[in-house]
Structures are given as C-alpha cells and as structure tokens.
C-alpha cells in the first residue's frame, strides 16, 4: 500500500521544530499581553470577497496565490492568505468599536498561499501578529514597530534592521502614482515583464521589483516622501521621533511599499541578512482606509505580522529544550505502581517527569536519562521500596543520596 505523505508545500512541525514553535508562541503571548493585547482567533477560511476587497485585486496574493474554491453551497471560499482582513471583518461584524475606544489584538495561526515552497515559506505557513484599532497617533505606530523589534530581540535574534517609509494617503498616492507611471513609461523596453504588467494596474509595486532595482532608471524614480501632504509628512516625522524615544534604530527606505494594497501612511519591515532573498522577518504598517473599505467605518488601524517558520530558522539552538526535570528508573515489577505514584506527585507540583512503562535494566535507564538531559534521576528498586526510600541522583553534580519517598517532592522543588 502506498504511503500517503504530506501535501507539497506543507510540513509537520515535530520534534525540535515543535519546541521552537511553542517557545516563540509563548514569548509572543507574554510580551503582547504585557502591552495590553488580547488573543483573538478567526476562521481559517472566509468569503473570497473579503480578501479581494481587503488586500486588493491587483496584488500578487489575490491574483496568483490564494487557495479559492466553491463549497457545497456554491459559495466562493478562500483559505486566509493573511489575517489582517479577517481581523478587520471580526472587529466590524462584532461591533467592537461600539464597546471600546481602542482595541488591541494579537493572533497566531496558519495562513495559505500558493507559492513555490522554499526554506522559511511553505504554502501553509504560520504567522504571529498584532493589530490596534481606533488610534491614529504616531506614538502607536512607533510602539507597534518597537514591540515587533523587541519581540525578535527577546527571542535572541540579532543583526536586525528596521526599515520604515510612508506611503501617504489615497489622495497623495494618486498624484505619486501618476508621476511613477510617467517616469517608468520612458523605460518600458528595459523593464521586466512583471513590471510592464504592473505599471498601470499597481505602479507602486514597481518599487518592489527585485529584477530592475539596480538599474539607473529605477534609482532615479520619484521619491514618495516628496509627495506627502503636510499632515502626512508631520505624522511620518513624529513616528521617527517616537522611535527615537523607544530606542529603536531605523533606516528610511523610500522604495518600501509592502505587498498589500490596504496600507496607508507608515509602513515598515524588520529584515536580516541571514535568510538570503527571504530577508524580511516581520512587517506591517498603518491601514486607516481598510475599515472604510470593508465596513464603511472611519476607524484608524495599525499592525504587523511575522512568519514563525522564518523565526524558527533564525533561532538556531537558542531556545529552551523543554527537557524533563526528573527521570524515574524503576527496577522490578513490584516497584512500578509506587514509581507511577511518585511521578504523579511530582507532576502535581509542576515538575516535569519522564517514566517508562516497560521494565528496563539499570544501564538502559541511565542511558535514557542521560539522553534526555534531566537534572535528577530517581532510582527505585525492590530494596529501596522495602525501606520506603528512593535513590536521588543529581546529574549536575553526579552525587547520589537516599531520600524518603514522602520527602522527594520537597527535595526536588
């Protein structure tokens, strides 16, 4: 019988990779909740129209990468390619805006895009992110960027660079789009096929081109900052000021536009040179127009998302191994019940215990305990059972002593 394997573009997260995933998730939860964010979980699939309207029909995500299908009710359904549009839908549908002035949410879950599978990016991938609804202050933009940077820093990831830009408002971008089209139209013969296609449909994505970026006509393209209205420029300058307050170093990158149409004003990425061409670890920005687009509500919003698999690649060995604290070596069938009771007593006191269910010799027990890198090994043989004691071996000092069974918890705690 042919073995059924995981679908191309998906991976099981097991073993050490699973430990990394749990560690990253736990650090995110603790840090985000320290900043007042609450966890939210949205459905894995939504109506296709949500992403078409939210992300933008001219984006690569909507045009080429979404997993879209008809369900049994002939409805067009899409597996979420990102979570911001879903969170906005959740916020609007549940009228959270009527219950609180400012809302802070974070999430953790699977996203789906039909891309070429590569290191750090599968067709099913996991994102952790956060969103703030109801506040337009540049202080929030700066704080969101700071949280993202400090989150990665907390995980022990180094050699990071924060890149920032402003893509202005819909009105200022309209003027800028015309200037971009005017500029790049003079160089059509020298442009890649994707950019020739983008020039009229989504000209801002020309700035994100990986093929033409080193050509002179690309470097001489108009700078979006020069087209910001006065209030937009002030917002951008204030974001930079508050980044200084938070102690976050940054680089201004006028070609940074992000790949989703809903962004406005501040956009940012945190990048590394350790992942090759997939250098972006975390990215986000402000999307004040998206709630208007999806729910006719004039409510500002800002947030970011980060790919968990990319963070896992950067962690290396820098994560808790989650090894057991104690290994219980029981010798002789008559000792197994007492050994199980000891294990449960330790676990009830939040001590991690490993115990085998089949009988082994002492040599096998010691080999297993050493492999698990436990701190303590409890040895319980027939003689120890009759005396009401165990032998407690400390692997860090290699010392061993007798301990009464009823005192073992206090000895280890």
């Amino acid at each position: 019988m042919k073995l059924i394997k995981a679908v191309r573009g998906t991976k099981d997260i097991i073993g050490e990779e699973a430990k990394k995933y749990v560690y990253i998730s736990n650090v995110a939860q603790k840090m985000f909740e320290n900043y007042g964010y609450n966890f939210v979980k949205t459905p894995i699939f939504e109506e296709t129209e949500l992403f078409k309207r939210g992300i933008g029909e001219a984006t690569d995500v909507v045009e080429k990468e979404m997993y879209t299908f008809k369900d049994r009710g002939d409805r067009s359904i899409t597996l979420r390619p990102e979570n911001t549009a879903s969170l906005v839908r959740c916020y609007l549908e549940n009228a959270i805006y009527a219950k609180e002035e400012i809302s802070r949410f974070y999430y953790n879950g699977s996203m789906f895009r039909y891309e070429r599978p590569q290191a750090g990016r599968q067709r099913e991938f996991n994102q952790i992110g956060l969103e703030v609804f109801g506040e337009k202050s540049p202080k929030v933009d700066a704080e969101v960027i700071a949280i993202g940077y400090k989150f990665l820093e907390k995980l022990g990831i180094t050699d990071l660079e924060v890149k920032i830009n402003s893509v202005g408002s819909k009105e200022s971008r309209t003027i800028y789009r015309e200037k971009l089209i005017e500029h790049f139209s003079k160089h059509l013969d020298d442009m890649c096929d994707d950019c020739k296609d983008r020039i009229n449909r989504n000209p801002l994505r020309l700035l994100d081109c990986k093929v033409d970026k080193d050509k002179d006509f690309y470097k001489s393209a108009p700078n979006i900052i020069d087209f910001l209205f006065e209030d937009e420029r002030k917002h951008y300058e204030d974001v930079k000021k508050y980044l200084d307050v938070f102690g976050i170093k940054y680089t201004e990158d006028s070609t940074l536009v992000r790949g989703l149409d809903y962004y406005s004003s501040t956009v940012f990425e945190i990048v590394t040179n350790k992942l090759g061409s997939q250098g972006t670890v975390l990215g986000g920005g402000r999307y004040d127009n998206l709630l208007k687009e999806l729910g006719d509500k004039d409510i500002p919003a800002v947030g970011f998302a980060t790919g968990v698999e990319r963070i896992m690649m950067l962690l290396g060995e820098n994560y808790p191994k989650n090894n057991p604290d104690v290994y219980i070596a029981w010798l002789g069938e008559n000792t197994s019940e007492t050994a199980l009771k000891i294990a449960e007593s330790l676990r009830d006191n939040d001590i991690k215990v490993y115990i085998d269910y089949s009988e082994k010799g002492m040599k096998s027990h010691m080999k297993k305990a050493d492999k698990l890198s436990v701190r303590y090994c409890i040895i319980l043989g027939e003689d120890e059972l009759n005396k009401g004691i165990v032998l407690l071996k400390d692997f860090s000092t290699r010392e061993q002593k007798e301990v009464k069974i009823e005192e073992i918890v206090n000895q280890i705690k």
Side-chain angles (χ1 to χ4, degrees):
M1 184 182 296
K2 183 181 178 182
L3 179 66
I4 299 173
K5 297 184 178 181
V7 176
R8 174 173 161 79
T10 66
K11 289 181 71 174
D12 301 309
I13 299 178
I14 57 175
E16 295 305 305
E17 294 296 285
K19 292 178 182 179
K20 291 181 183 180
Y21 189 100
V22 171
Y23 170 56
I24 294 165
S25 300
N26 287 345
V27 170
Q29 177 182 355
K30 183 174 176 56
M31 172 168 279
F32 298 168
E33 289 181 359
N34 283 348
Y35 278 88
Y37 288 76
N38 295 306
F39 179 73
V40 64
K41 179 172 169 49
T42 61
I44 278 181
F45 57 84
E46 302 269 8
E47 290 188 20
T48 302
E49 187 64 18
L50 173 68
F51 301 115
K52 283 186 175 181
R53 286 169 54 191
I55 297 173
E57 293 201 49
T59 60
D60 287 347
V61 172
V62 171
E63 283 193 334
K64 305 174 183 178
E65 299 171 0
M66 293 202 312
Y67 278 89
T68 298
F69 57 93
K70 288 289 186 74
D71 69 5
R72 292 174 186 258
D74 202 36
R75 292 170 290 247
S76 182
I77 301 296
T78 295
L79 300 180
R80 62 187 185 194
E82 57 94 54
N83 210 30
T84 297
S86 294
L87 231 65
V88 169
R89 193 268 313 144
C90 168
Y91 177 81
L92 293 169
E93 183 177 344
N94 292 284
I96 297 172
Y97 53 84
K99 302 168 187 174
E100 54 191 26
E101 187 177 352
I102 300 174
S103 299
R104 297 177 176 88
F105 298 115
Y106 74 94
Y107 59 85
N108 181 350
S110 296
M111 313 295 156
F112 304 85
R113 296 186 192 179
Y114 192 86
E115 300 178 294
R116 181 177 63 83
Q118 54 192 299
R121 174 53 68 90
Q122 299 294 313
R123 290 172 177 170
E124 180 192 18
F125 59 99
N126 292 276
Q127 282 190 339
I128 290 173
L130 56 78
E131 317 287 352
V132 182
F133 299 110
E135 179 56 70
K136 64 192 304 180
S137 168
K139 298 184 185 76
V140 178
D141 302 39
E143 184 180 79
V144 164
I145 296 170
I147 294 171
Y149 185 84
K150 290 179 179 180
F151 167 56
L152 297 174
E153 190 177 55
K154 185 78 172 177
L155 292 168
I157 298 172
T158 57
D159 296 327
L160 297 169
E161 180 184 8
V162 177
K163 294 185 176 184
I164 65 169
N165 192 25
S166 174
V167 293
S169 63
K170 188 175 182 180
E171 291 74 22
S172 60
R173 273 200 311 279
T174 298
I175 299 172
Y176 180 62
R177 279 167 55 98
E178 292 173 358
K179 292 295 182 182
L180 273 185
I181 293 170
E182 180 184 325
H183 173 82
F184 282 104
S185 293
K186 300 172 185 175
H187 307 280
L188 279 173
D189 292 342
D190 299 318
M191 290 164 60
C192 70
D193 290 339
D194 280 344
C195 285
K196 289 177 183 177
D197 181 54
R198 287 170 175 163
I199 190 166
N200 289 309
R201 293 188 309 106
N202 196 359
L204 260 69
R205 291 308 308 280
L206 295 171
L207 301 175
D208 200 29
C209 179
K210 302 297 187 291
V211 178
D212 296 332
K213 66 178 182 177
D214 293 324
K215 296 180 180 179
D216 288 340
F217 72 85
Y218 178 92
K219 294 178 181 178
S220 62
N223 188 325
I224 194 168
I225 300 299
D226 296 334
F227 293 84
L228 297 179
F229 296 156
E230 185 177 344
D231 60 325
E232 296 164 5
R233 184 182 287 271
K234 184 179 187 309
H235 185 97
Y236 182 54
E237 294 299 322
D238 284 345
V239 170
K240 293 190 289 183
K241 179 179 74 174
Y242 288 114
L243 282 174
D244 292 338
V245 170
F246 283 111
I248 304 299
K249 295 180 180 179
Y250 59 86
T251 301
E252 295 182 71
D253 183 354
S254 62
T255 67
L256 176 61
V257 294
R258 303 288 294 153
L260 308 176
D261 279 359
Y262 53 61
Y263 285 113
S264 60
S265 190
T266 308
V267 290
F268 66 93
E269 290 182 348
I270 301 179
V271 301
T272 177
N273 58 12
K274 294 182 178 179
L275 293 177
S277 62
Q278 298 295 316
T280 301
V281 187
L282 183 151
R286 183 164 282 284
Y287 49 96
D288 291 347
N289 299 322
L290 185 55
L291 284 90
K292 186 81 171 174
E293 177 69 28
L294 294 178
D296 201 27
K297 295 292 180 183
D298 190 13
I299 299 173
V302 61
F304 71 69
T306 181
V308 180
E309 284 81 359
R310 292 188 187 182
I311 295 178
M312 289 163 66
M313 291 173 64
L314 292 168
L315 278 184
E317 295 300 311
N318 187 25
Y319 63 96
K321 302 304 186 289
N322 197 30
N323 296 322
D325 302 310
V326 177
Y327 181 94
I328 298 181
W330 54 275
L331 303 162
E333 186 60 37
N334 292 334
T335 66
S336 64
E337 290 184 11
T338 301
L340 289 170
K341 289 178 180 178
I342 293 172
E344 286 304 289
S345 179
L346 292 168
R347 289 165 178 156
D348 288 343
N349 285 273
D350 294 325
I351 298 168
K352 290 178 284 188
V353 179
Y354 184 94
I355 183 170
D356 267 324
Y357 302 107
S358 56
E359 192 172 354
K360 287 182 170 65
M362 178 60 82
K363 187 175 180 180
S364 294
H365 276 307
M366 291 300 101
K367 187 176 180 181
K368 187 67 171 285
D370 197 50
K371 184 178 180 181
L372 290 171
S373 300
V374 296
R375 169 73 188 275
Y376 297 105
C377 180
I378 292 174
I379 302 167
L380 178 64
E382 299 282 358
D383 289 343
E384 288 77 26
L385 180 63
N386 291 332
K387 295 178 183 178
I389 62 168
V390 296
L391 298 179
L392 180 63
K393 184 170 185 175
D394 187 329
F395 271 62
S396 63
T397 63
R398 293 291 168 178
E399 295 178 352
Q400 182 173 297
K401 62 182 179 181
E402 294 183 352
V403 178
K404 292 181 179 179
I405 289 175
E406 62 269 20
E407 295 176 0
I408 191 64
V409 171
N410 290 331
Q411 283 289 323
I412 292 175
K413 285 183 72 175

